[in-house]
């Protein structure tokens, strides 16, 4: 597996797995009808200090992470990140590799901490992964996520110093 900066040429492969993840509405808080144009702008076109990485396995883009300031101005020293892994590459350590790379990149880019605002409680593999990488759940937001199958479920607010 190779982790590298995402390039514009990676976008079609990224969108191919991002679209169904977003449409499913089970792990990502964006509306299921979020457009490709909006997603591409959000993920690929934000200026520094934002960055984006891809995990490549056997020449195929298997997952991606985007890193950006959690807040502007006086909160810009805390990073936030969004992750998506192609389900075809699930259970192969892609999420862990991207998580480790994102934490390292955020630190290298001068961020002092990483905060995740919306880790869905039913996404138990993600919650376990982030805890194993040193993220702490600071709070559970009761019913903070409207899951299409489970109804209102909790969201973890997670944090780690870098």
């Amino acid at each position: 597996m190779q982790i590298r900066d995402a390039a514009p040429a990676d976008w079609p492969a990224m969108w191919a797995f991002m679209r169904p993840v977003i449409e499913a509405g089970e792990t990502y808080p964006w509306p299921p009808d979020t457009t490709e144009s909006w997603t591409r702008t959000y993920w690929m076109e934000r200026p520094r200090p934002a960055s984006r990485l891809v995990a490549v396995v056997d020449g195929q883009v298997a997952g991606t992470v985007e890193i950006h300031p959690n807040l502007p101005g006086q909160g810009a020293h805390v990073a936030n990140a969004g992750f998506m892994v192609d389900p075809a590459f699930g259970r192969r350590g892609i999420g862990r590799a991207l998580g480790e790379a994102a934490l390292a990149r955020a630190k290298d880019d001068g961020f002092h901490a990483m905060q995740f605002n919306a880790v869905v409680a039913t996404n138990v593999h993600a919650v376990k992964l982030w805890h194993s990488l040193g993220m702490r759940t600071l709070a559970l937001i009761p019913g903070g996520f409207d899951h299409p199958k489970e109804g209102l479920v909790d969201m973890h607010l997670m944090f780690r110093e870098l």
Side-chain angles (χ1 to χ4, degrees):
M1 176 185 340
Q2 175 192 22
I3 306 288
R4 62 168 172 75
D5 287 322
D10 296 320
W11 180 253
M14 293 165 62
W15 181 244
F17 65 82
M18 293 172 79
R19 180 179 180 183
V21 169
I22 295 166
E23 286 177 347
E26 295 181 4
T27 59
Y28 236 76
W30 296 348
D33 62 352
T34 297
T35 66
E36 178 179 5
S37 174
W38 186 92
T39 305
R40 183 184 175 113
T41 299
Y42 181 91
W43 208 272
M44 298 292 287
E45 297 175 13
R46 290 206 228 175
R48 301 251 340 123
S51 61
R52 66 275 320 141
L53 306 171
V54 290
V56 179
V57 176
D58 298 328
Q60 292 185 306
V61 175
T64 183
V65 58
E66 59 82 21
I67 307 157
H68 62 274
N70 190 54
L71 295 168
Q74 302 312 102
H77 61 286
V78 176
N80 186 284
F83 299 80
M84 287 195 215
V85 174
D86 185 337
F89 289 90
R91 318 296 338 136
R92 294 200 212 173
I94 307 295
R96 175 171 294 282
L98 285 169
E100 291 169 349
L103 292 167
R105 180 56 155 296
K107 184 175 183 177
D108 289 348
D109 285 350
F111 291 104
H112 296 263
M114 178 71 76
Q115 179 172 318
F116 297 157
N117 299 321
V119 181
V120 181
T122 55
N123 192 354
V124 295
H125 296 295
V127 172
K128 182 178 177 182
L129 171 62
W130 303 138
H131 284 158
S132 78
L133 291 177
M135 301 292 293
R136 293 180 295 134
T137 295
L138 299 180
L140 282 176
I141 297 122
F145 187 86
D146 191 2
H147 192 282
K149 297 176 185 168
E150 305 291 328
L152 297 179
V153 298
D154 297 345
M155 284 191 316
H156 290 253
L157 173 63
M158 303 180 102
F159 180 85
R160 177 187 150 175
E161 293 179 355
L162 300 175

